[in-house]
Amino acid sequence: MMTLKNKKKYLFLTALLCSGVFVNAQSDKKEDMITTKPFGDSERHWYGIKDESNLVNAVPNQPRYEESDYTKIADNMMLFQRANGGWPKNYDMRAILTPEQQEKVASTKSILHTTFDNETTYTHIYYLAQVYTATKIEKYKEACIKGIQFVLDAQYANGGWPQYFPLEKGYSRHITFNDGAYMGIMNLLDKMISGNTNFSFLDENLKAKVKTAYDKGLDCILNMQIKDKGQLIAWCQQHDEETLAPAWARKFEPPSICNGESVDIVLFLMKIKNPDERIIQSIQSAVKWFADSKILNTRVESFAIEPTESKYKKIKRDVRVVVDSAAAPIWTRYYELGTHRPLFCDRNSEFLYSLAEVSLERRSGYAWYTGSPQKVLDKYPAWQKKYAPNTNVLN
């Protein structure tokens, strides 16, 4: 005999199927399942890094909701949502909060320290949209629309987005590709204007505003692409919010050509159907840069060391670059503007040109190499054949 709990889950899953969250009946295309995986970065920060500035910190053995407890997780999101519609970062949306934790979070609604960093805000908006689509519970729709309005309010006139909004002092005012902030927003807006069934509740007025924000965001991406020695290349992690030039972020994150963040930009541009000549040129230029800047016969390996205390953490492993003729192509995180040399940096902002020169704490605690550009190179042949059949930049 079906228990009451199982019956509720059965009815909820039936609602999901009927709503199109699992399957879009019109296009027969599978949509994303409701999952908290996009919140993994914030969860890791909350549990792994003790931060006295947090609203609340995790208690020992903090209980968590099951992934299937969609409405309870959505209620948590609404609790953390600030009065301006955005969210603070680095909390676990599946945490079953103690009464004291709930009271503390609820008391901070008016604090406007809200962000897109660490996959925040745009992920909450999409989760709430999915839960509303499945349940038709009005409060989730209202919270979702409030979040969408926050995204629209945060956009600069030039089309970019800061890391934090309202604007704060320091590099968080820069237009930020780092940690997926900018492209997370753009992918969310793309869902809204491309017929994703989880946003079918948006009225025409709001959809028009979203389309305008999307178009401005796309134009800003193209305007920020670095032009070096007369050639378009790729993008930086952060760009100045006024000049759009590559900009410093943290002391070890210099203005440079940043391959990792550029990958998500190019993959996004490649998804655009019937791209115009400017978009085609942007993709072609970035693909050529990825091909030209690849590093062969090189592998980065991690190895155990005697535990060493630093100002920030205990270090148990180090990394080094080794020669390996069988290694797949890799790229450094940064390439120097002008020289195009692989670039490294330390907490004193000194430019370095090999991983070995970086201090142990930063060398082992930061991703200085990436294999991500290969994703673009793998997708390029099919895209080029369809949209640029007469110009293969890899030949």
Side-chain angles (χ1 to χ4, degrees):
M1 184 175 178
M2 186 180 292
T3 65
L4 179 60
K5 182 177 181 180
N6 286 339
K7 185 176 181 181
K8 286 182 177 178
K9 285 189 175 181
Y10 171 79
L11 292 173
F12 189 76
L13 290 172
T14 301
L16 290 175
L17 287 168
C18 293
S19 69
V21 173
F22 287 124
V23 178
N24 180 344
Q26 292 181 336
S27 66
D28 200 32
K29 177 183 176 182
K30 291 183 179 179
E31 299 283 4
D32 296 335
M33 292 180 64
I34 302 181
T35 174
T36 58
K37 285 183 180 179
F39 302 95
D41 198 19
S42 281
E43 291 170 10
R44 286 188 292 273
H45 278 80
W46 196 51
Y47 291 110
I49 302 175
K50 184 78 171 180
D51 188 344
E52 295 302 326
S53 68
N54 283 347
L55 302 175
V56 292
N57 280 300
V59 299
N61 301 313
Q62 181 96 43
R64 305 179 76 209
Y65 292 116
E66 296 292 333
E67 277 272 25
S68 57
D69 289 327
Y70 305 111
T71 55
K72 292 177 181 177
I73 296 169
D75 287 342
N76 251 6
M77 290 183 187
M78 291 180 61
L79 179 66
F80 276 94
Q81 188 177 26
R82 295 289 172 73
N84 64 354
W87 278 264
K89 68 178 182 178
N90 298 345
Y91 299 98
D92 180 12
M93 294 298 102
R94 286 177 57 190
I96 302 175
L97 302 177
T98 66
E100 292 76 19
Q101 288 174 323
Q102 290 183 27
E103 183 178 355
K104 182 65 183 295
V105 173
S107 70
T108 65
K109 287 285 186 183
S110 62
I111 299 176
L112 305 183
H113 184 60
T114 37
T115 185
F116 301 109
D117 193 26
N118 291 353
E119 300 179 316
T120 305
T121 295
Y122 57 87
T123 48
H124 297 74
I125 292 168
Y126 188 51
Y127 192 96
L128 289 169
Q130 292 177 93
V131 175
Y132 171 72
T133 299
T135 65
K136 295 297 185 284
I137 297 175
E138 195 69 15
K139 64 179 180 179
Y140 302 130
K141 172 184 170 181
E142 293 171 358
C144 180
I145 291 175
K146 190 175 180 181
I148 294 170
Q149 189 59 52
F150 172 83
V151 173
L152 300 179
D153 292 342
Q155 188 175 33
Y156 285 123
N158 60 22
W161 280 274
Q163 192 180 69
Y164 278 81
F165 184 79
L167 297 177
E168 301 186 1
K169 294 181 179 179
Y171 68 83
S172 69
R173 301 170 73 95
H174 291 331
I175 297 171
T176 303
F177 289 114
N178 201 13
D179 291 329
Y182 195 114
M183 300 318 298
I185 297 168
M186 286 297 290
N187 279 295
L188 175 72
L189 300 183
D190 183 55
K191 286 183 172 69
M192 295 183 203
I193 65 174
S194 63
N196 184 291
T197 55
N198 292 299
F199 289 106
S200 59
F201 61 87
L202 299 183
D203 62 37
E204 292 305 313
N205 180 52
L206 184 53
K207 276 205 280 192
K209 292 179 181 178
V210 169
K211 180 63 166 61
T212 298
Y214 172 90
D215 290 341
K216 288 173 61 179
L218 177 58
D219 191 55
C220 190
I221 288 172
L222 300 176
N223 289 337
M224 285 187 288
Q225 190 168 12
I226 297 167
K227 197 168 190 177
D228 209 353
K229 299 180 181 178
Q231 297 293 321
L232 288 173
I233 302 179
W235 291 263
C236 188
Q237 285 179 305
Q238 294 82 208
H239 288 254
D240 186 274
E241 66 276 16
E242 295 180 1
T243 68
L244 303 186
W248 278 97
R250 289 177 289 186
K251 292 182 180 297
F252 50 88
E253 296 176 325
S256 55
I257 306 161
C258 302
N259 280 6
E261 281 67 30
S262 296
V263 166
D264 287 341
I265 299 170
V266 179
L267 291 176
F268 178 85
L269 296 177
M270 282 180 157
K271 291 192 306 180
I272 296 174
K273 296 178 180 178
N274 303 313
D276 61 27
E277 279 303 315
R278 192 179 181 205
I279 294 172
I280 290 172
Q281 182 60 39
S282 175
I283 294 169
Q284 294 275 59
S285 300
V287 168
K288 188 174 189 311
W289 164 254
F290 290 148
D292 291 346
S293 60
K294 72 170 62 172
I295 300 169
L296 303 175
N297 306 316
T298 301
R299 176 170 52 83
V300 180
E301 68 176 15
S302 172
F303 59 97
I305 60 172
E306 284 293 319
T308 302
E309 290 287 348
S310 77
K311 177 182 177 181
Y312 304 94
K313 61 179 180 179
K314 178 179 284 189
I315 304 168
K316 299 180 180 179
R317 300 191 70 82
D318 197 356
V319 292
R320 61 191 168 205
V321 174
V322 298
V323 175
D324 183 353
S325 60
I330 60 171
W331 291 257
T332 49
R333 185 172 191 142
Y334 304 125
Y335 288 78
E336 189 175 32
L337 296 167
T339 70
H340 300 176
R341 294 172 65 186
L343 179 64
F344 304 85
C345 214
D346 221 320
R347 288 190 183 273
N348 61 1
S349 299
E350 180 185 0
F351 279 22
L352 305 169
Y353 297 97
S354 72
L355 185 61
E357 296 177 84
V358 182
S359 66
L360 172 63
E361 183 271 327
R362 275 300 77 197
R363 185 170 67 238
S364 62
Y366 199 59
W368 292 104
Y369 285 82
T370 178
S372 295
Q374 191 61 49
K375 297 176 186 176
V376 171
L377 297 180
D378 290 343
K379 286 182 175 294
Y380 177 72
W383 178 89
Q384 181 264 329
K385 184 178 180 180
K386 186 173 184 179
Y387 293 117
N390 298 321
T391 310
N392 186 341
V393 298
L394 299 184
N395 285 343

